[in-house]
């Protein structure tokens, strides 16, 4: 309430780390991941890793103990085709694999058997600048097989492609508001002074996830630290609820002197069911989890060298009661399992979301036995 840090029991604790060196494929060592940039889970539970530096997609089973498949090539009209620094990966409800093949400047779509379904490249539209070079970084897909893509240096919003690969426009554009003082200053500033000022371009999107209803959760870099995530309806309008503090930006107080100075920078978001979603802060390596009303539920993680901390976290995913985070520098997947405290909160929020307040009350009471300061439990 007073915007002061209050320590709580851990909601999730680190349980294990998975690296390429600990895995085998077809009887041989898989070999280390190299600056992997993205991961996702498929409807059948498998985990897909965009092993960017090795130009391959690694598919793991649900508990990430075995390698199901490694995709390095595919047949493209009778010729062997390869990836070049794939940075994003997503799997549709029909188990088609979508790959943001960044340095080949295309999105590759493969069927479940590994055959090529389509390639999306070189989008054409009047709204695109002349000479625009399409470099997809992150990709997601909804129930209608519409493709949502975060592209490099594309500040107009998320690029949207129909299921046939046709580019249809931008989605969820964030306009930056200029204060009256900034407007006044720009009027009286010289040309040289204006050229040194930051450009008032829309905010950059960093990660996307689509919920079962087709709402797009998108993380973004917000210089003010107030809103680092959006929930976009089919029209591209932000309909997220921001909670009592009107803040979905991670840390609300931050040191201005250390290497981790400045507001949180959400680099990825995962929708988890019952309106709960988690955002990954690349600035301090923390995972912030909110409910459908914008209340902060819990925070865990950090930057460092001990277990449960990161060097460069790039992607987050949820598998059952486990949250997994991909670390690009350590080239590994870190697993966090829910504790009793975390599970009580998750279950109480789920009951509340489903309209069963009475049952939720009993769980909130148990939460208060573990943490009497939990504001949401006191209200609930």
């Amino acid at each position: 309430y007073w915007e002061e840090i209050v320590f709580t029991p851990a909601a999730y604790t680190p349980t294990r780390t998975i690296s390429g060196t600990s895995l085998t494929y077809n009887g041989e060592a898989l070999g280390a991941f190299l600056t992997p940039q993205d991961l996702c889970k498929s409807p059948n539970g498998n985990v897909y890793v965009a092993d960017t530096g090795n130009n391959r997609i690694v598919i793991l089973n649900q508990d990430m103990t075995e390698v199901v498949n490694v995709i390095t090539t595919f047949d493209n009209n009778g010729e062997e085709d390869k990836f070049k620094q794939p940075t994003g990966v997503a799997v549709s409800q029909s188990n088609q694999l979508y790959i943001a093949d960044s340095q080949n400047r295309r999105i590759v779509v493969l069927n479940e058997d590994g055959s090529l379904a389509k390639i999306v490249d070189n989008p054409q539209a009047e709204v695109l600048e002349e000479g625009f070079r399409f470099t997809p970084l992150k990709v997601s897909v909804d129930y209608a097989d519409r493709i949502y893509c975060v592209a490099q240096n594309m500040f107009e919003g998320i690029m949207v492609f129909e299921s046939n690969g046709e580019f249809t426009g931008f989605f969820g554009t964030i306009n930056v508001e200029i204060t009256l003082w900034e407007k006044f200053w720009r009027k009286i500033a010289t040309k040289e002074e204006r050229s040194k000022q930051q450009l008032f371009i829309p905010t950059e999107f960093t990660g996307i996830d689509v919920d079962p209803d087709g709402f797009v959760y998108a993380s973004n870099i917000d210089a003010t630290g107030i809103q680092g995530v959006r929930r976009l309806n089919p029209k591209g309008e932000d309909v997220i609820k921001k909670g009592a503090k009107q803040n979905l930006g991670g840390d609300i107080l931050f040191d201005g002197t250390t290497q981790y100075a400045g507001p949180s920078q959400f680099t990825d978001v995962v929708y988890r069911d019952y309106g709960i979603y988690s955002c990954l802060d690349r600035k301090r390596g923390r995972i912030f989890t909110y409910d459908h009303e914008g209340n902060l539920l819990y925070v865990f993680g950090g930057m460092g060298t001990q277990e449960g901390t990161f060097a460069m976290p790039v992607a987050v995913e949820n598998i059952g009661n486990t949250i997994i985070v991909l670390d690009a520098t350590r080239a590994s997947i870190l697993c966090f399992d829910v504790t009793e405290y975390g599970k009580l909160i998750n279950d109480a929020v789920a009951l509340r979301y489903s309209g069963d307040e009475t049952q939720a009350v009993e769980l909130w009471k148990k939460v208060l036995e573990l943490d009497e300061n939990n504001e949401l439990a006191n209200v609930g």
Side-chain angles (χ1 to χ4, degrees):
Y1 179 82
W2 299 111
E3 298 191 352
E4 293 170 354
I5 291 174
V6 178
F7 291 99
T8 73
Y12 282 76
T13 51
T15 48
R16 64 190 177 117
T17 301
I18 296 141
S19 64
T21 52
S22 64
L23 296 165
T24 58
Y25 180 57
N26 286 342
E28 295 181 10
L30 176 69
F33 297 131
L34 184 59
T35 57
Q37 292 297 312
D38 199 15
L39 53 70
C40 74
K41 69 175 178 187
S42 66
N44 63 13
N46 286 342
V47 177
Y48 289 68
V49 181
D51 190 4
T52 309
N54 287 321
N55 299 318
R56 65 184 181 180
I57 306 299
V58 178
I59 307 171
L60 308 173
N61 64 349
Q62 188 164 350
D63 56 10
M64 292 174 289
T65 54
E66 295 175 11
V67 179
V68 177
N69 196 5
V70 177
I71 305 172
T72 54
T73 62
F74 58 94
D75 184 286
N76 186 355
N77 287 326
E79 292 189 14
E80 186 180 81
D81 206 337
K82 295 181 178 180
F83 305 115
K84 192 174 181 185
Q85 294 188 21
T87 53
V89 67
V91 181
S92 71
Q93 291 180 8
S94 57
N95 272 318
Q96 279 191 325
L97 173 60
Y98 291 72
I99 300 150
D101 192 9
S102 67
Q103 293 310 300
N104 280 327
R105 307 189 187 282
R106 63 187 181 180
I107 296 169
V108 177
V109 185
L110 301 179
N111 296 313
E112 198 171 355
D113 62 3
S115 62
L116 179 64
K118 59 178 173 276
I119 286 178
V120 178
D121 62 358
N122 193 27
Q124 300 292 320
E126 288 182 10
V127 292
L128 296 172
E129 290 179 9
E130 195 177 335
F132 166 68
R133 298 188 77 195
F134 179 52
T135 309
L137 299 178
K138 289 288 180 340
V139 63
S140 196
V141 58
D142 68 11
Y143 58 83
D145 288 343
R146 274 185 296 266
I147 304 169
Y148 300 90
C149 174
V150 173
Q152 191 172 23
N153 298 326
M154 181 52 73
F155 298 100
E156 283 83 349
I158 296 165
M159 300 182 77
V160 183
F161 299 84
E162 284 302 322
S163 57
N164 62 3
E166 182 189 352
F167 173 63
T168 55
F170 296 106
F171 189 75
T173 305
I174 307 167
N175 292 313
V176 176
E177 292 179 11
I178 306 178
T179 64
L180 284 171
W181 166 248
E182 284 164 338
K183 285 178 183 173
F184 171 72
W185 173 249
R186 285 173 80 79
K187 275 185 179 173
I188 63 169
T190 65
K191 190 175 179 182
E192 188 181 0
E193 286 171 329
R194 280 201 301 273
S195 70
K196 287 178 183 174
Q197 284 182 312
Q198 83 178 77
L199 293 168
F200 289 97
I201 53 177
T203 308
E204 174 189 6
F205 284 106
T206 52
I208 29 180
D209 198 17
V210 183
D211 75 12
D213 296 323
F215 285 83
V216 176
Y217 284 76
S219 56
N220 60 271
I221 303 299
D222 180 15
T224 63
I226 292 172
Q227 186 177 359
V229 61
R230 281 161 165 71
R231 179 177 185 250
L232 305 169
N233 67 12
K235 289 182 180 177
E237 300 162 337
D238 181 25
V239 292
I240 206 161
K241 293 182 179 176
K242 298 177 185 174
K245 287 284 178 198
Q246 292 291 294
N247 186 298
L248 293 172
D251 285 315
I252 50 178
L253 296 177
F254 30 83
D255 189 351
T257 56
T258 68
Q259 69 185 97
Y260 304 126
S264 297
Q265 295 182 348
F266 287 167
T267 191
D268 198 18
V269 58
V270 58
Y271 176 77
R272 293 173 40 191
D273 283 332
Y274 302 108
I276 298 172
Y277 55 95
S278 295
C279 301
L280 177 62
D281 175 15
R282 70 184 180 196
K283 175 76 83 170
R284 296 179 192 85
R286 281 142 66 86
I287 294 109
F288 294 82
T289 298
Y290 300 91
D291 70 4
H292 67 288
E293 293 176 305
N295 300 305
L296 179 65
L297 302 181
Y298 40 76
V299 189
F300 64 92
M303 300 296 257
T305 54
Q306 69 268 46
E307 189 180 25
T309 60
F310 313 104
M312 188 188 289
V314 289
V316 63
E317 185 57 272
N318 180 68
I319 300 171
N321 287 320
T322 303
I323 289 176
I324 60 174
V325 178
L326 184 65
D327 190 318
T329 299
R330 294 211 186 119
S332 57
I333 301 167
L334 284 78
C335 302
F336 297 82
D337 282 359
V338 72
T339 62
E340 183 192 0
Y341 176 71
K343 191 170 188 315
L344 284 169
I345 293 173
N346 291 347
D347 291 349
V349 170
L351 287 168
R352 186 178 178 188
Y353 183 81
S354 305
D356 200 337
E357 297 278 6
T358 315
Q359 273 189 284
V361 167
E362 296 308 310
L363 296 185
W364 288 129
K365 285 177 182 172
K366 290 180 181 177
V367 171
L368 289 174
E369 287 173 17
L370 297 171
D371 175 22
E372 62 184 14
N373 288 311
N374 190 302
E375 205 170 322
L376 198 58
N378 279 298
V379 172

